[in-house]
Amino acid sequence: MHIQESEPASPQFSPARIRATWNGTGSVEDAARALGFSRAKGYELIRRGRFPCRVLRIGRSSRVVTASLLRVLESGEPEYNGAST
């Protein structure tokens, strides 16, 4: 699966801005918006193990690995980790 290259929803989600302002992980909602889809779609993809970048489960919450998100945004290629909830 190749991720369609498109502009982020806003400059807030550009790779440069993410690199400068995010820590090691980010919220599913913000990562989904950076990738161009909704929060609900993001959680659906996580449940199916198809979120396009690496996701960590911490207790009952999910966090997206920032470095993985940046690689996906820059390459357009997903990095599935098969994580499911």
Side-chain angles (χ1 to χ4, degrees):
M1 173 181 174
H2 184 67
I3 307 255
Q4 185 175 358
E5 295 183 32
S6 62
E7 289 299 311
S10 75
Q12 174 183 2
F13 298 110
S14 71
R17 174 80 175 184
I18 291 169
R19 190 174 282 107
T21 60
W22 289 26
N23 292 316
T25 64
S27 71
V28 172
E29 180 177 0
D30 286 345
R33 288 176 44 195
L35 292 164
F37 46 83
S38 71
R39 174 185 178 273
K41 182 67 172 179
Y43 280 107
E44 175 191 334
L45 292 172
I46 288 171
R47 279 191 301 278
R48 293 182 17 218
R50 302 299 292 169
F51 197 83
C53 48
R54 300 205 181 269
V55 177
L56 301 175
R57 290 284 298 156
I58 303 169
R60 292 183 50 158
S61 66
S62 298
R63 301 290 294 175
V64 175
V65 177
T66 303
S68 178
L69 173 63
L70 289 168
R71 286 190 296 270
V72 170
L73 288 172
E74 291 169 348
S75 73
E77 294 295 325
E79 293 186 351
Y80 301 119
N81 64 352
S84 61
T85 58

